[in-house]
Amino acid sequence: MDNSIAVAAQGRKTYQWAGAGDLNAFFGLMIDNIGVMILTTSLLVLGYGFPRDFVLTRMIPGTAVGVLVGDLIFTVAAFRLARRSGRTDVTAMPLGLDTPSTFGSVILIIGPAFLAAKGRGLEATAAAEHAWFLGITMLLASGVFKLACAPFGGWVRRVVPRAGLLGSLAAIALVLISFLPLIDVAGHPVAGFASLIVVLATLTARWRLPGRFPGAVFAVALGCLVFYGMNLAGLGAGADGTAPSTLLRFALPFPMAAWWTWFATAWPEALGYLPVAIPLALATVVGGIDCTESAAAVGDEYSTGAIVAAEGFATLVAGAFGGVIQSTPYIGHPAYKAMGARAGYTLATALFVGAAGVFGYFDWIFFLIPKAVVFPILVFVGLEITAQSFHATPFRHYPAVAFACVPALAYLALITINQVLPEVGKPFDQLQPSTQHWIATATMLSGGFIVTSLLWGAALAHLIDGRIGSTVGALVLAGVFSWFGVIHSPLPSGAIMSPARVVAELKTQGRTAATAGQTPYHWAASYGVMAVVVLILGAVGEPPRPEIAEPPEGV
């Protein structure tokens, strides 16, 4: 018998694909995905006023199916690796819903599109369908982009500096993933902080519970016990919203025919949101490459191209069935392997999460588990992504990572402004000139902040490395993007259009004075000036010495 066939046969007989470690790993991966689904539903229903049943029966099923397909593929990949290598301890790669994309898709695409559609006179369900189709479009575009990147994973990683890409992720993670859920946690601080401290102790500080009981499960259970205990004592608020009308229900839309009809006329609007969707997809591509490398470091050698292609395919399937959040390999394969997990945990997660969305018991999870209790897990995710962004970046590039976070701070400020202005009751043109200018500037700094963060971080990282050409290239690209409003658009809508049309629209909206000296012409010129200065610096200046960019000895 051929030796390779013998090894394969041995692998088929001896692979221990499920064990005690899979239980802890399942709870960790499953709760993370369920938490993102709760976040998505909460943002859409409570934050933007989407019809609750529309989200639960149209958007959530396809989103859950993306997890089902992706984790099933990764489960099969683990079996194939075990068969090929003859090893019995292969751990499947974890896959789940991408948390940064949740905020990016909901807050920057789906939510604003819904409000804009209602502003044009559409009733709530019609506006929700319009926004849903827009979310599907972005998900399909992301899936196609990932599949296109799969054969070029190494090239993508070389071209995009980690400081730029991870800096934009850190911006989303710290400012949005950690801060915004913390608002809900603080809304019910007794139960929320009881859950939060368990999450921080077990997941961040790595304390172990007796019997290695999953920290995430204990955090949610303790929080629910406190929350509903206070409710029984007359001190709490009870569950949010109305209980589902049925125990189970089946929903798995396939809206491609209706979507195509919509896309035939709405594609120009969809095109304007690609600068948000594509950087988020690119982040998951590079993240997939990093996750594959981390798996290889502990002995599980998966194909990088196959992993990226699998997440791209899962994203496409999710979009085809009406999903709106992309899937991605999760950081943490070595941790799952250390738990003793094999392939059982990804199989169990696929089946549980997929069935939760399709058969409707997620509706009960959303109703019964308070956001204040489950959102501490998202706070942990935000902290972990931020820490990982710095850890995976050379020390000399730390300032670039921090610099990339600044545009997201402007977006956070704009969220606050938009919360307060309706209460003030004054239209923009009746505010004090200094206030108008401050709001307009925050609007421009936050416009397309994901792309801005990537370009700012990349430019500074290249400059630190003394790479003049690459620095100038990043600045020129920023100038082109600002010319068309991809970044720094002075319009609140962030519409992509020519500078002349933007100036005319600013005049119509009464924002000419507030944006004086800050039109797309000025933003493009500012990046052009920066590029010229860098070229001059490269000609007459002395490049930085690598040794002074590293941490002092002992630090």
Side-chain angles (χ1 to χ4, degrees):
M1 178 183 292
D2 184 87
N3 185 58
S4 63
I5 297 176
V7 170
Q10 181 184 9
R12 285 194 294 271
K13 292 178 181 178
T14 59
Y15 178 41
Q16 305 297 318
W17 63 272
D22 284 286
L23 182 62
N24 283 343
F26 161 70
F27 279 117
L29 186 59
M30 177 272 292
I31 290 178
D32 202 338
N33 278 281
I34 291 296
V36 175
M37 290 165 65
I38 292 174
L39 173 67
T40 302
T41 307
S42 298
L43 289 174
L44 290 171
V45 175
L46 304 178
Y48 288 96
F50 271 74
R52 181 173 176 270
D53 287 344
F54 187 98
V55 174
L56 292 174
T57 61
R58 306 282 188 92
M59 297 179 171
I60 289 299
T63 298
V65 165
V67 177
L68 168 68
V69 172
D71 272 321
L72 286 179
I73 293 174
F74 281 8
T75 301
V76 172
F79 275 88
R80 294 183 64 184
L81 178 58
R83 183 182 301 114
R84 186 171 65 250
S85 64
R87 290 173 43 232
T88 64
D89 63 343
V90 171
T91 299
M93 289 274 288
L95 175 139
L97 298 173
D98 185 48
T99 310
S101 296
T102 301
F103 284 98
S105 297
V106 173
I107 296 179
L108 302 177
I109 300 175
I110 302 172
F114 174 72
L115 296 180
K118 288 184 67 177
R120 294 194 296 267
L122 293 180
E123 55 89 23
T125 301
E129 183 175 84
H130 174 80
W132 179 38
F133 286 160
L134 193 57
I136 290 172
T137 306
M138 294 303 102
L139 204 61
L140 294 175
S142 297
V144 171
F145 178 81
K146 292 179 187 183
L147 288 175
C149 287
F152 309 104
W155 180 83
V156 170
R157 190 173 183 185
R158 288 192 301 271
V159 168
V160 183
R162 279 192 169 186
L165 186 64
L166 296 182
S168 62
L169 280 182
I172 296 172
L174 191 60
V175 175
L176 299 182
I177 298 177
S178 289
F179 178 77
L180 291 184
L182 197 58
I183 296 293
D184 287 290
V185 174
H188 300 283
V190 180
F193 275 55
S195 177
L196 177 63
I197 191 58
V198 175
V199 167
L200 294 177
T202 59
L203 302 184
T204 301
R206 305 295 197 266
W207 284 72
R208 290 182 179 178
L209 297 175
R212 295 198 172 188
F213 193 82
V217 177
F218 183 68
V220 172
L222 177 62
C224 286
L225 182 65
V226 174
F227 185 90
Y228 285 108
M230 292 179 63
N231 186 56
L232 289 174
L235 302 174
D240 293 329
T242 305
S245 57
T246 59
L247 182 62
L248 292 175
R249 52 101 183 121
F250 177 83
L252 185 58
F254 187 73
M256 287 297 93
W259 169 81
W260 182 251
T261 301
W262 170 89
F263 184 75
T265 57
W267 66 265
E269 180 182 358
L271 185 65
Y273 288 102
L274 284 177
V276 176
I278 296 305
L280 291 171
L282 176 61
T284 69
V285 169
V286 177
I289 297 170
D290 289 340
C291 291
T292 308
E293 288 190 359
S294 71
V298 291
D300 293 334
E301 295 276 356
Y302 291 101
S303 164
T304 301
I307 292 298
V308 174
E311 67 160 306
F313 179 73
T315 299
L316 275 177
V317 172
F321 286 100
V324 292
I325 305 299
Q326 65 176 329
S327 55
T328 183
Y330 273 4
I331 296 171
H333 176 279
Y336 289 121
K337 193 171 190 68
M339 292 179 190
R342 298 298 176 248
Y345 83 106
T346 49
L347 176 61
T349 299
L351 298 177
F352 184 92
V353 173
V358 174
F359 293 108
Y361 56 84
F362 171 75
D363 303 7
W364 285 96
I365 296 173
F366 177 68
F367 171 68
L368 292 173
I369 299 182
K371 298 189 300 298
V373 167
V374 75
F375 279 7
I377 296 172
L378 298 178
V379 175
F380 156 74
V381 171
L383 297 177
E384 194 76 3
I385 292 175
T386 303
Q388 180 68 20
S389 297
F390 282 95
H391 178 72
T393 303
F395 175 83
R396 66 184 183 277
H397 289 166
Y398 280 13
V401 176
F403 190 41
C405 291
V406 175
L409 295 175
Y411 184 74
L412 182 61
L414 193 64
I415 291 176
T416 305
I417 291 169
N418 290 335
Q419 290 283 338
V420 172
L421 275 183
E423 301 298 326
V424 174
K426 285 187 177 181
F428 180 83
D429 58 5
Q430 293 183 16
L431 299 172
Q432 293 290 332
S434 59
T435 304
Q436 289 185 22
H437 180 70
W438 198 95
I439 294 174
T441 302
T443 300
M444 286 179 272
L445 284 175
S446 65
F449 77 90
I450 297 175
V451 179
T452 307
S453 294
L454 192 152
L455 292 173
W456 283 15
L460 183 52
H462 287 316
L463 192 62
I464 291 170
D465 290 340
R467 301 176 62 183
I468 296 300
S470 297
T471 305
V472 169
L475 294 172
V476 169
L477 187 59
V480 172
F481 282 165
S482 61
W483 178 272
F484 292 104
V486 175
I487 61 176
H488 306 317
S489 173
L491 299 174
S493 65
I496 297 175
M497 57 181 67
S498 68
R501 288 184 60 194
V502 170
V503 171
E505 187 64 25
L506 289 172
K507 184 176 181 180
T508 301
Q509 296 182 12
R511 290 175 175 257
T512 301
T515 57
Q518 296 174 299
T519 66
Y521 298 113
H522 294 88
W523 281 107
S526 69
Y527 284 110
V529 169
M530 292 175 73
V532 171
V533 170
V534 169
L535 286 172
I536 295 173
L537 180 64
V540 303
E542 180 181 344
R545 298 193 304 274
E547 63 271 16
I548 66 173
E550 297 304 321
E553 187 176 350
V555 174

